[in-house]
Amino acid sequence: MEEKRTKISETMEKIVRSRTCGCKDLYVAIVLQNTATQYMAGTPRKLSRLVKAKIDEKWSSEKVFSDDETEEVITAYEGTDVELEVNALAPQDRAFIFGQKYENGYLVKTSNDMAPEVAIGWRERKLNGKYEFKWLYVGKFAEGISDEATTKEGKLSPTTKSIKGSFYERSLDNQYEISVDESNLIDEYTDAQTALANWFSAVQEYPDNIEDIGGSTEGSTGDGTEDSTENGTTGQQ
């Protein structure tokens, strides 16, 4: 059944709020440059089938007092904790996000491994059948992976993998996340509608930022970010 939306004016419409009921399409891109003058990410690649995503934004606040009362409350963004549960990780995936060595069929882990800076994107399904699309601009999965395996007890007991990361604002403009909720798009939001059609082909930018980021979020070569999406496409279904 098609959802009916009521316009209030030519540029506004009734706000649509719908509960989240699913998540899918986890993509990761290597952050190639993250400086005060430039941000650039490589071509996103689909990582694994997403089971669960827990995103925890952390903010701190401090009250400033004067005249025996609260004068101001100062708030500061401290980062975003990310915990992703996925169906499985190939050794190539582990090398890609954890900075480990994968050569000649061997995955080699050392205490000196350095997880690279990455951007992650995914989409969350709403009860109304629409999706909210997201990108976190920069962070690291430096906390490793949680593995679990159990013995077969008469029937198979498939397990999942959990990875934890810390994400933060990029150096260029302190932006740390961008998202589009298609439930609330109206005809005038043409840039957002266009972005949704290619959301996972590149790390997305707000249109006004494209000339200011000093680089490109389009794909690059030689950085290990070749497309490895299922069926060789980035199609959204």
Side-chain angles (χ1 to χ4, degrees), residues 157-196:
S157 301
T159 60
T160 58
K161 309 297 182 185
S162 294
I163 55 177
K164 296 181 180 180
S166 297
F167 283 72
Y168 39 90
E169 68 272 33
R170 62 187 185 183
S171 300
L172 175 66
D173 50 18
N174 292 330
Q175 293 183 14
Y176 61 91
E177 180 178 336
I178 191 168
S179 64
V180 172
D181 185 346
E182 64 177 338
S183 297
N184 288 281
L185 292 184
I186 59 177
D187 294 342
E188 287 83 354
Y189 298 160
T190 55
D191 287 329
Q193 293 170 0
T194 300
L196 290 189

Side-chain angles (χ1 to χ4, degrees), residues 61-228:
S61 62
E62 182 177 351
K63 293 182 179 179
V64 178
F65 295 90
S66 63
D67 284 345
D68 295 336
E69 63 182 16
T70 301
E71 175 187 336
E72 187 177 359
V73 178
I74 301 174
T75 61
Y77 171 69
E78 294 187 339
T80 300
D81 289 338
V82 173
E83 183 174 357
L84 303 175
E85 184 178 350
V86 298
N87 66 325
L89 287 176
Q92 296 93 329
D93 298 326
R94 299 181 187 226
F96 186 74
I97 62 174
F98 299 133
Q100 296 163 352
K101 179 180 179 180
Y102 181 65
E103 286 185 2
N104 301 318
Y106 292 90
L107 178 68
V108 181
K109 304 178 183 180
T110 76
S111 59
N112 296 321
D113 291 337
M114 297 289 291
E117 286 190 322
V118 297
I120 60 170
W122 71 99
R123 56 175 171 156
E124 299 176 356
R125 183 180 175 87
K126 305 295 183 177
L127 283 175
N128 62 5
K130 304 293 185 179
Y131 284 90
E132 183 174 5
F133 294 72
K134 298 185 177 184
W135 275 104
L136 290 178
Y137 280 130
V138 60
K140 292 185 177 184
F141 287 103
E143 298 182 41
I145 184 173
S146 176
D147 270 324
E148 181 180 351
T150 59
T151 188
K152 179 182 177 182
E153 297 178 348
K155 61 179 181 180
L156 295 177
S157 301
T159 60
T160 58
K161 309 297 182 185
S162 294
I163 55 177
K164 296 181 180 180
S166 297
F167 283 72
Y168 39 90
E169 68 272 33
R170 62 187 185 183
S171 300
L172 175 66
D173 50 18
N174 292 330
Q175 293 183 14
Y176 61 91
E177 180 178 336
I178 191 168
S179 64
V180 172
D181 185 346
E182 64 177 338
S183 297
N184 288 281
L185 292 184
I186 59 177
D187 294 342
E188 287 83 354
Y189 298 160
T190 55
D191 287 329
Q193 293 170 0
T194 300
L196 290 189
N198 302 285
W199 191 260
F200 299 114
S201 64
V203 178
Q204 297 297 314
E205 292 285 344
Y206 186 72
D208 290 349
N209 293 343
I210 294 177
E211 295 183 359
D212 298 331
I213 60 175
S216 171
T217 57
E218 298 298 327
S220 59
T221 58
D223 61 353
T225 58
E226 65 276 9
D227 186 15
S228 62

